[in-house]
Amino acid sequence: FSRLASDRTVWIIGATFFCVKLTRYAFLFWLPIYMTQQLHYTVKDAGYTSSLYELVGFSGALIAGYASDRISKSRRAPIVALMMFGLALACLFHPMMASLGYWGNAIGISIIGIMTYGPDTLLSGATAQDVGSEDGAATAAGFIDGVGSTGQLFSPYVVAFISERYGWNALFY
């Protein structure tokens, strides 16, 4: 454990996973509220539409795994970075997409899901195993996931603070 706890790479991966989990759980739990308050969806429509985040987002895990194994030859960081950049762009443009109506919002939420679930699965799985190597893979995965789960704990506070003070669109920005 001490080798992994002092490894700078493990801490960088953990910090990245902290941000990914904060983002993932912010969307997972707050999308229906955003859609009812900001977009004026019915509760039923908000529930069904927000489920696209996970239903379509799941494909991001498959895309990220395939791309990191086959395209970047088991180098996880380039795929994580590319998908995080895609997530940033998707969030930046989402308020504009949502203003186009139901399908614009649905497409935006789906892209955000894909770009969130890809890094999530790589950071908590393959990347943790790679950095932990044969003798510390489970310890590295546990440490990285623990740091990431701390981000998950902060997500409701971040969402409430930003949405109340600056509005829902600021949360995407």
Side-chain angles (χ1 to χ4, degrees):
F1 176 76
S2 63
R3 176 185 67 83
L4 291 173
S6 62
D7 187 337
R8 184 173 162 255
T9 303
V10 171
W11 281 97
I12 290 169
I13 295 166
T16 304
F17 198 45
F18 174 94
C19 296
V20 169
K21 289 273 267 201
L22 188 148
T23 303
R24 179 179 167 201
Y25 282 86
F27 282 116
L28 183 66
F29 291 119
W30 291 84
L31 276 174
I33 296 169
Y34 157 74
M35 289 182 202
T36 56
Q37 289 183 359
Q38 179 72 18
L39 304 179
H40 307 292
Y41 282 25
T42 65
V43 172
K44 179 181 170 184
D45 288 343
Y48 286 128
T49 308
S50 66
S51 70
L52 292 172
Y53 176 71
E54 287 188 281
L55 291 171
V56 178
F58 168 75
S59 66
L62 299 174
I63 292 166
Y66 182 83
S68 73
D69 286 343
R70 303 283 185 248
I71 297 169
S72 69
K73 297 178 178 44
S74 297
R75 291 184 3 244
R76 318 301 176 194
I79 303 304
V80 170
L82 185 63
M83 292 187 91
M84 297 279 290
F85 182 72
L87 175 61
L89 288 176
C91 287
L92 180 66
F93 288 109
H94 185 266
M96 182 188 71
M97 294 286 293
S99 72
L100 298 175
Y102 176 81
W103 288 108
N105 182 51
I107 291 168
I109 293 302
S110 297
I111 294 169
I112 289 170
I114 291 167
M115 296 301 165
T116 305
Y117 276 74
D120 184 285
T121 195
L122 285 182
L123 292 169
S124 65
T127 304
Q129 292 174 353
D130 291 347
V131 76
S133 68
E134 189 175 308
D135 62 333
T139 304
F143 182 81
I144 291 166
D145 191 53
V147 173
S149 293
T150 306
Q152 172 185 336
L153 291 172
F154 283 106
S155 71
Y157 301 106
V158 171
V159 171
F161 178 82
I162 292 173
S163 65
E164 287 177 3
R165 283 194 170 64
Y166 307 106
W168 284 105
N169 287 343
L171 192 61
F172 288 94
Y173 299 140

